[in-house]
């Protein structure tokens, strides 16, 4: 290591230590942000120190859970550099590499917009791409803009890099065309499909000819078994598939993991069809690193929820269930899972519009909140844009006597808990920064550990 790089790393690490000592956070982004501004090439050098290279996970929805699942499996075999705090921009990745002094393998979640630049620097062994949904239009632009950036980045990957793609997403699946080292995964169980494609689905038109796709099965948003009747473009065959899926309320999911001629039953301690997708991506990633199927099964079945993603917290004689929502596709699936599992009678929905959430909150009008009308007796609305939520829920038909607006997040949490009977559960659906703020309230009360202290 050059003297210059050693000095740069020393300064960045010192900044992280000061940040933690001052109680300003976990030092998950500041050191890397400083290092990035001093010398962006330092990330390349830090990545090269990983003796077993790195793997990268990106998606609009599910990248934090997928990378956490992969870390659960891989952490028994390697010393990991894993950005478990969810800091997935260049600064967060750099901070992760700075802190992991003796790591052998990097398990790195990467923001979808930051992916092209970081792929060029990290030179990963495996890249797992989960999905592309409309998200933060004010920051990212239209979905096609991200897709084009991904296409260019994938084209530049070395031939020895293994590319893992969700074959149920037409745009993501097409990125693998022409590559040799590819693993395609997807869901293959029409029993759990939706009756029809959702009105807010994104990639509904053929990426080759523009005609509408016909769906034999639509699972999550536009993810499913699609085919263009005009030009024949269709979902490719699956190398890894989930079949015979059993959704067990808000507690668990079971499915057959099918790989070639081998079938293994996975009992995942997380609800929701989208977590089946996350498990498939993590399983494919680990198998690409020659981890045995049995080890993958053991790791997935022992997995606990990533922070804020179906995370449960005990609060006295009540329980809080945190379900991050940040765009129409993810929010609709969270609501669908709540409905199928028996939704809590009291909900707290929190909407912020910070940069990390997206300034444009018009997406809430594409979320199907209406099914909650039959389930929720009380809903507390909070966050910077609580008033907009109030308008949206009023249009959804919620009576005024079942809605309360409490903009401040701490008091909103307390009010919602007051409405929850002892022994029952409060469902919380926050956007990203609202989730972090609510977790800080819980952390300050000694109920959870800071999210950056999670262990693999």
């Amino acid at each position: 290591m050059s003297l210059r790089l050693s000095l740069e790393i020393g300064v960045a690490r010192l900044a992280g230590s000061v940040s933690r000592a001052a109680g300003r956070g976990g030092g998950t982004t500041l050191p890397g942000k400083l290092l990035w501004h001093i010398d962006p090439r330092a990330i390349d050098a830090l990545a090269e120190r990983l003796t077993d290279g790195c793997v990268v996970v990106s998606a609009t929805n599910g990248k934090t859970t997928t990378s956490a699942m992969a870390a659960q499996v891989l952490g028994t075999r390697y010393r990991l550099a894993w950005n478990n705090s969810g800091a997935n921009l260049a600064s967060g990745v750099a901070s992760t590499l700075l802190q992991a002094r003796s790591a052998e393998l990097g398990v790195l979640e990467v923001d979808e917009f930051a992916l092209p630049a970081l792929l060029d620097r990290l030179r990963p062994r495996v890249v797992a791409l989960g999905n592309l949904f409309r998200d933060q239009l004010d920051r990212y632009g239209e979905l096609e803009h991200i897709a084009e950036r991904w296409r260019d980045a994938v084209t530049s990957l070395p031939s020895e890099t293994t590319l893992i793609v969700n074959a149920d997403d037409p745009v993501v699946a097409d990125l693998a065309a022409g590559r040799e080292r590819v693993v395609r995964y997807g869901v293959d169980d029409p029993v759990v499909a939706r009756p029809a494609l959702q009105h807010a689905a994104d990639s509904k038109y053929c990426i080759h000819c523009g005609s509408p796709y016909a769906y034999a099965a639509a699972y999550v948003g536009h993810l499913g078994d699609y085919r263009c009747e005009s030009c024949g473009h269709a979902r490719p065959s699956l190398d890894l598939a989930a079949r015979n899926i059993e959704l067990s309320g808000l507690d668990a999911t079971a499915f057959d993991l099918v790989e070639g001629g081998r079938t293994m039953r996975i009992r995942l301690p997380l609800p929701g069809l989208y977590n089946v997708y996350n498990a498939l991506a993590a399983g494919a990633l680990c198998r690409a690193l020659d981890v045995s199927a049995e080890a993958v099964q053991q790791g997935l079945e022992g997995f606990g929820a990533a922070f804020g993603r179906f995370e449960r917290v005990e609060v006295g004689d009540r329980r809080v269930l945190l379900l991050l929502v940040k765009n129409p596709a993810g929010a609709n699936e969270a609501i669908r899972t709540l409905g199928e599992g028996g939704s809590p009678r009291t909900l707290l929905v929190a909407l912020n519009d910070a940069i990390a959430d997206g300034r444009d909150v018009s997406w809430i009008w594409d979320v199907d909140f209406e099914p909650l009308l039959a389930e929720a007796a009380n809903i507390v609305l909070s966050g910077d844009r609580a008033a907009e939520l109030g308008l949206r829920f009023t249009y959804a038909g919620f009576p005024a006597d079942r809605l309360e607006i409490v903009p401040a997040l701490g008091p909103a949490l307390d009010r919602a808990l007051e409405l929850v009977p002892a022994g029952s559960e409060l469902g919380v659906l926050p956007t990203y920064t609202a989730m972090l703020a609510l977790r800080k309230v819980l952390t300050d009360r000694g109920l959870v550990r800071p999210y950056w202290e999670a262990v693999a």
Side-chain angles (χ1 to χ4, degrees):
M1 186 184 303
S2 69
L3 177 59
R4 175 182 172 180
L5 181 59
S6 297
L7 290 172
E8 292 169 350
I9 289 173
V11 169
R13 283 177 175 158
L14 177 61
S17 299
V18 172
S19 175
R20 287 188 290 274
R24 300 298 298 272
T28 59
T29 58
L30 179 60
K33 186 177 294 186
L34 180 59
L35 185 64
W36 178 260
H37 283 295
I38 295 173
D39 182 6
R41 295 171 298 176
I43 291 182
D44 309 47
L46 289 170
E48 288 175 0
R49 296 193 308 171
L50 299 169
T51 56
D52 290 283
C54 70
V55 298
V56 165
V57 176
S58 193
T60 304
N61 293 338
K63 52 187 174 288
T64 298
T65 299
T66 297
S67 58
M69 287 176 169
Q72 172 79 14
V73 178
L74 297 170
T76 62
R77 290 158 178 77
Y78 301 94
R79 293 190 300 275
L80 299 181
W82 166 37
N83 49 344
N84 57 346
S85 69
N88 55 31
L89 297 172
S91 56
V93 170
S95 292
T96 298
L97 296 174
L98 275 168
Q99 294 165 5
R101 305 186 188 207
S102 61
E104 299 165 326
L105 177 73
V107 177
L108 301 171
E109 165 196 343
V110 174
D111 172 85
E112 52 268 40
F113 195 79
L115 182 70
L118 284 173
L119 284 185
D120 187 52
R121 296 193 175 281
L122 296 171
R123 312 298 284 180
R125 293 171 58 186
V126 182
V127 177
L129 303 178
N131 52 66
L132 281 174
F133 290 109
R134 195 160 31 102
D135 186 43
Q136 298 189 42
L137 294 180
D138 56 319
R139 176 181 167 217
Y140 293 144
E142 291 296 336
L143 183 150
E144 289 78 11
H145 178 52
I146 297 291
E148 192 59 37
R149 286 171 54 87
W150 276 24
R151 188 169 290 109
D152 291 342
V154 167
T155 300
S156 300
L157 287 174
S159 58
E160 61 267 22
T161 299
T162 299
L163 180 64
I164 296 170
V165 294
N166 183 350
D168 289 0
D169 187 316
V171 174
V172 173
D174 195 62
L175 298 175
R179 292 191 66 88
E180 293 184 7
R181 298 178 66 87
V182 175
V183 179
R184 299 174 176 87
Y185 68 88
V187 171
D188 187 20
D189 186 357
V191 172
V192 296
R194 286 185 174 270
L197 197 65
Q198 291 175 274
H199 72 90
D202 295 312
S203 298
K204 298 184 284 190
Y205 299 97
C206 179
I207 60 175
H208 292 301
C209 75
S211 300
Y213 282 118
Y215 278 79
Y219 297 115
V220 174
H222 60 265
L223 307 185
D225 185 0
Y226 53 88
R227 181 176 181 81
C228 175
E229 303 290 354
S230 296
C231 72
H233 179 250
R235 179 177 76 169
S237 59
L238 304 177
D239 302 304
L240 209 70
R243 296 178 181 149
N244 299 320
I245 297 170
E246 180 183 354
L247 303 172
S248 301
L250 296 179
D251 296 314
T253 307
F255 62 95
D256 287 346
L257 181 64
V258 181
E259 181 184 14
R262 179 174 190 156
T263 299
M264 179 176 291
R265 191 70 175 168
I266 303 290
R267 290 170 177 81
L268 190 68
L270 289 177
L273 189 57
Y274 50 92
N275 277 315
V276 174
Y277 276 110
N278 294 334
L280 283 171
L285 188 156
C286 294
R287 294 290 286 141
L289 294 176
D290 296 322
V291 176
S292 70
E294 291 78 12
V296 170
Q297 178 188 36
Q298 182 179 5
L300 292 178
E301 293 189 341
F303 178 73
F307 72 95
R309 285 84 170 168
F310 268 94
E311 179 185 20
R312 282 186 162 97
V313 180
E314 299 293 333
V315 182
D317 56 3
R318 295 164 175 82
R319 190 163 62 173
V320 171
L321 173 63
L322 288 164
L323 304 84
L324 174 69
V325 295
K326 61 175 188 169
N327 52 44
N332 284 337
E333 282 309 302
I335 293 169
R336 175 190 186 185
T337 302
L338 283 177
E340 292 172 344
S343 176
R345 296 289 289 162
T346 301
L347 297 174
L348 168 59
V349 185
L351 176 66
N352 278 356
D353 62 351
I355 291 175
D357 304 294
R359 298 292 194 187
D360 182 355
V361 299
S362 62
W363 61 270
I364 64 174
W365 294 92
D366 284 330
V367 177
D368 297 325
F369 289 113
E370 284 75 7
L372 296 176
L373 185 60
E375 301 288 342
N378 301 288
I379 297 182
V380 178
L381 306 175
S382 187
D384 299 333
R385 305 296 287 271
E388 280 85 347
L389 278 178
L391 182 63
R392 173 67 184 92
F393 275 81
T394 299
Y395 269 90
F398 284 81
D401 61 356
R402 291 167 60 184
L403 293 174
E404 293 188 38
I405 295 179
V406 184
L409 290 166
L413 177 62
D414 291 334
R415 176 55 184 154
L417 285 169
E418 288 176 3
L419 297 170
V420 177
S424 298
E425 189 165 67
L426 168 67
V428 182
L429 286 78
T431 55
Y432 184 69
T433 65
M435 181 269 288
L436 294 182
L438 286 166
R439 273 194 109 263
K440 185 177 187 305
V441 172
L442 295 170
T443 300
D444 291 344
R445 296 177 183 180
L447 299 170
V448 295
R449 297 169 60 189
Y451 63 86
W452 58 83
E453 291 184 2
V455 294

